[in-house]
Amino acid sequence: MRFVILVKSDTATEAGAMPTESDLTAMNEFNERLAEAGVMLAGEGLQPSSKGVRVRFEGERPTVIKGPFSGPNDLVAGFWIWRVGSLDEAIEWLKRAPFDGGAEVEIRQVFESEDFGDAMAPELREREDRLRARTEELSRAS
């Protein structure tokens, strides 16, 4: 099972506050434990929403909306993608993360091809599998 772990923003991350050296060291050590256990597939911190955009698809032409966006607690400051055996295992890993100060982190399961049942016809499943293999090769190469 794959899960996306979403680290929520706060007013400090949205203001562009950078982590301290000790914060970075603690997070790096945690990420190393995840990687050594074969759990971490990806993980990154995100720039504040002031450096991003949203694209709204409504009607014939998409609309680009420039950041910053309101409600910092509804925004994402970073993420991981983990492969674990269950939601409970993801929770147990996350409990070891070096967060404090009221940080809020959300865990969401990623859909797998088989989750779509009959709507994922065999030819679509084959295309999905080829695409996944290709993107995994690209991520290993970078």
Side-chain angles (χ1 to χ4, degrees):
M1 300 173 129
R2 290 177 302 146
F3 291 87
V4 174
I5 299 15
L6 301 167
V7 180
K8 299 295 185 101
S9 292
D10 58 25
T11 53
T13 58
E14 275 300 290
M18 298 302 288
T20 65
E21 182 177 345
S22 65
D23 292 339
L24 290 171
T25 299
M27 189 58 71
N28 188 271
E29 289 170 357
F30 179 66
N31 286 341
E32 286 174 349
R33 287 193 303 273
L34 290 168
E36 287 167 4
V39 169
M40 186 172 154
L41 302 177
E44 302 292 342
L46 301 175
Q47 296 277 349
S49 69
S50 61
K51 295 186 176 187
V53 300
R54 290 180 177 168
V55 180
R56 178 176 293 136
F57 294 88
E58 193 174 323
E60 291 184 24
R61 300 183 104 174
T63 304
V64 176
I65 305 149
K66 293 183 179 184
F69 305 112
S70 62
N73 294 348
D74 296 329
L75 301 173
V76 176
F79 70 92
W80 285 283
I81 301 176
W82 293 349
R83 178 173 283 128
V84 292
S86 67
L87 175 59
D88 288 338
E89 185 180 352
I91 292 168
E92 288 308 310
W93 273 107
L94 186 56
K95 285 179 179 179
R96 300 178 214 158
F99 292 116
D100 64 8
E104 186 173 319
V105 182
E106 183 176 339
I107 301 173
R108 304 271 303 271
Q109 188 172 350
V110 174
F111 276 114
E112 303 294 347
S113 296
E114 52 273 6
D115 294 328
F116 294 101
D118 293 340
M120 181 68 83
E123 57 274 5
L124 284 175
R125 190 178 310 266
E126 288 174 21
R127 286 173 61 189
E128 177 72 19
D129 291 344
R130 283 194 306 272
L131 178 60
R132 185 172 311 282
R134 205 163 97 215
T135 58
E136 286 176 3
E137 277 180 37
L138 290 172
S139 73
R140 280 193 297 272
S142 60

